[in-house]
């Protein structure tokens, strides 16, 4: 099976997605997700101008050789744009391999390790009672694991607790929105929030929380300690991950499990965190981490260290990328949980996934390949619209991490 051509689609069915179609001499087309929220054109240019022209005539079965060629051959290595572009092609190649062999991708990755991949979903509210109501509604849908994000008293809008009913951080507009952040207000409020939530929801559901890179290591240590009585499944992105050894300090002070890595691109962003056992969960997704080829190796590195995989899966990863994560989660022994927000109805008029959520678990379905159909005509009806993720500043105007 040889690669004969490609098409890159940048569309906005509900939000922006970058989708790769890889054509072969068999007539089969492989699908990849290259969506990098707010930086879609950078990945599109990388694919169209740099990576795809090198693929004409190559063996589409040679996933490992493609990956090594694309990574080593770039000279300018790593980074989210490069690795998302490599990931898009890698996913399309795995999709093709499954399609031509007539098996779902999870069978190529080692087969089923579990009955389904436990999913966690997003719950948010402008107040603790509203958040608890949202959590109960998600429990009623079958979710056993709930990410709780709440507005912080005294702050206008914070990550994960939008004023709008729907979570979509990338706003269309000329310039990125600026949110005002105050760590002291957040640190005072977060334990109170989880105290009330645990009391209202009981001991059964797994509770998760995303601090979204806003704390210093000692602040994260304090938060982790304060949350210990509420038994979180994890505290995510407590500190930005650029400095891996920052997590040594957090780890020394708290038994709250730590998750990190949704913005990471390669194993070199995370290897010290894994081998020092400074974190418990790796949040990298196939879409942004260089595809399934790369993620399998990260999982293999993490396994003996008791670190588990938990792929990023917000609505800004397309159903193709999400399907890849679900196949991976089903077939990877040290995969723990999968983020699952679902996608808006408009998105699902363009992407038709075979994966299903049922009673708390995700299954990728038995379609050959990744199991997602992409309707190019329906996609073309939704042209790309520039959108930015927000930025953050402290109350005194200091630029901060969003
Ligand atoms: O594009 C940014 C979002 O994907 C991110 O803010 C979502 O942190 C996130 C999460 O855990 O889903
Ligand atoms: Mg996150």
């Amino acid at each position: 099976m040889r690669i004969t051509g490609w098409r890159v689609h940048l569309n906005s069915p509900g939000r922006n997605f970058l989708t790769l179609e890889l054509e072969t001499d068999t007539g089969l087309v492989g699908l990849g997700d290259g969506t990098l929220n707010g930086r879609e054109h950078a990945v599109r240019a990388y694919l169209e101008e740099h990576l795809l022209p090198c693929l004409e005539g190559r063996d589409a079965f040679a996933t490992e050789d493609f990956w090594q060629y694309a990574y080593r051959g770039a000279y300018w290595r790593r980074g989210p744009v490069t690795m998302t572009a490599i990931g898009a092609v890698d996913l399309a190649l795995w999709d093709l391999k499954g399609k031509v062999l007539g098996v779902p991708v999870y069978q190529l990755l080692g087969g089923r390790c579990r009955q389904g991949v436990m999913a966690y979903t997003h719950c948010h509210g402008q107040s603790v009672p509203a958040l608890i109501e949202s959590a109960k509604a998600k429990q009623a849908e079958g979710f056993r694991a709930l990410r709780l994000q709440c507005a912080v008293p005294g702050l206008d809008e914070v990550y994960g607790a939008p004023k709008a009913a729907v979570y979509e951080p990338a706003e269309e507009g000329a310039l990125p929105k600026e949110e005002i952040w105050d760590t002291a207000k957040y640190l005072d409020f977060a334990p109170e929030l989880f105290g009330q939530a645990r009391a209202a929801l009981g001991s059964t559901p797994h509770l998760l929380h995303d601090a979204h890179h806003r704390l210093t290591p000692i602040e994260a240590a304090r938060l982790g300690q304060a949350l210990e009585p509420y038994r979180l499944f994890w505290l995510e992105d407590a500190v930005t991950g650029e400095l891996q050894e920052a997590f040594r300090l957090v780890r020394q002070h708290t038994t709250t499990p730590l998750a990190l890595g949704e913005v990471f691109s390669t194993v070199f962003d995370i290897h010290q965190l894994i081998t020092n056992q400074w974190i418990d969960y790796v949040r990298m997704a196939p879409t942004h981490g260089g595809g399934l080829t790369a993620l399998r190796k990260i999982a293999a590195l993490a396994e003996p260290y008791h670190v588990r995989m938990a792929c990023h899966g917000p609505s800004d990863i397309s159903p193709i990328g999400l399907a890849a994560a679900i196949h991976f989660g089903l077939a990877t022994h040290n995969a723990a949980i999968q983020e699952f927000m679902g996608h808006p109805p408009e998105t699902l008029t363009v992407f038709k996934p075979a994966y299903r959520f049922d009673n708390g678990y995700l299954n990728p379905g038995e379609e050959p390949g990744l199991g997602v159909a992409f309707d190019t005509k329906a996609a073309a009806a939704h042209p790309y619209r520039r959108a930015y993720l927000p930025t953050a500043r402290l109350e005194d105007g200091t630029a901060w991490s969003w």
Side-chain angles (χ1 to χ4, degrees), residues 320-381:
I320 297 167
L322 185 62
I326 299 170
H327 284 276
F328 172 78
L330 197 67
T332 303
H333 182 264
N334 61 325
I337 196 165
Q338 174 61 47
E339 183 176 16
F340 181 61
M341 294 175 59
H343 287 94
E346 218 177 348
T347 302
L348 298 175
T349 61
V350 170
F351 299 91
K352 309 276 184 200
Y355 56 73
R356 291 286 172 265
F357 171 79
D358 182 35
N359 198 23
Y361 295 90
L362 286 159
N363 261 289
E366 297 299 323
E367 295 290 316
L370 292 173
V372 183
F374 176 66
D375 182 338
T376 51
K377 279 207 187 93

Side-chain angles (χ1 to χ4, degrees), residues 42-263:
V43 181
R44 182 194 56 73
Y46 195 101
L47 281 167
E48 288 185 338
E49 298 298 324
H50 309 301
L51 189 52
L52 293 170
C54 308
L55 300 187
E56 176 104 47
R58 282 179 182 272
D59 178 5
F61 264 106
T63 39
E64 180 66 24
D65 181 67
F66 154 73
W67 197 95
Q68 299 295 345
Y69 172 80
Y71 180 80
R72 294 170 190 274
Y75 190 63
W76 311 106
R77 294 182 184 189
R78 305 163 63 189
V81 173
T82 299
M83 298 313 295
T84 302
I86 294 176
V89 178
D90 184 76
L91 294 192
L93 293 178
W94 281 98
D95 188 36
L96 281 166
K97 209 189 282 253
K99 281 172 172 162
V100 78
L101 296 175
V103 290
V105 164
Y106 79 83
Q107 295 290 14
L108 302 173
L109 301 178
R112 188 181 283 273
C113 275
R114 48 186 59 89
Q115 291 174 8
V117 187
M118 184 165 62
Y120 79 88
T121 197
H122 290 200
C123 311
H124 48 82
Q126 287 301 299
S127 65
V128 178
L131 170 63
I132 290 169
E133 201 180 309
S134 135
K136 286 186 171 166
K138 293 295 178 186
Q139 279 185 300
E141 287 175 29
F143 286 98
R144 297 152 191 261
L146 309 163
R147 189 187 87 149
L148 304 187
Q149 306 291 137
C150 192
V152 174
L155 295 180
D156 181 46
E157 187 154 3
V158 299
Y159 167 75
K163 287 182 176 164
V166 179
Y167 164 96
E168 175 45 78
E171 287 202 355
E172 286 174 36
L175 292 171
K177 189 170 88 179
E178 287 188 358
E179 291 175 357
I180 303 300
W181 174 250
D182 183 70
T183 302
K185 290 189 176 106
Y186 167 73
L187 287 181
D188 279 350
F189 175 64
E192 190 188 316
L193 152 65
F194 275 90
Q196 289 188 42
R198 196 43 105 189
L201 299 169
S203 58
T204 310
H206 296 299
L207 302 183
L208 300 79
H209 182 62
D210 192 344
H212 224 248
H213 302 131
R214 303 211 173 159
L215 307 178
T216 64
I218 199 68
E219 290 164 350
R222 181 183 139 199
L223 178 63
Q225 257 184 18
L227 294 178
E228 279 170 22
Y230 314 116
R231 293 189 300 96
L232 265 62
F233 187 92
W234 76 40
L235 171 61
E236 178 185 348
D237 287 349
V239 181
T240 64
E242 288 106 326
L243 182 69
Q244 296 188 42
E245 56 266 44
F247 275 78
R248 186 203 318 261
L249 185 146
V250 188
R251 191 61 146 183
Q252 277 167 351
H253 288 91
T254 182
T255 57
T256 294
L258 302 169
L260 191 72
E262 69 182 36
V263 299

Side-chain angles (χ1 to χ4, degrees), residues 270-338:
I270 203 154
H271 68 294
Q272 289 173 276
L273 286 156
I274 292 173
T275 57
N276 288 297
Q277 297 177 287
W278 287 331
I279 59 167
D280 301 278
Y281 299 98
V282 174
R283 297 283 288 128
M284 292 173 70
T287 299
H288 300 137
L292 288 165
T293 299
L295 219 60
R296 294 176 79 203
K297 295 178 187 180
I298 294 171
L301 173 69
E303 188 179 325
Y305 293 97
H306 301 275
V307 176
R308 297 199 286 162
M309 306 301 289
C311 297
H312 190 213
S315 47
D316 51 85
I317 283 180
S318 91
I320 297 167
L322 185 62
I326 299 170
H327 284 276
F328 172 78
L330 197 67
T332 303
H333 182 264
N334 61 325
I337 196 165
Q338 174 61 47

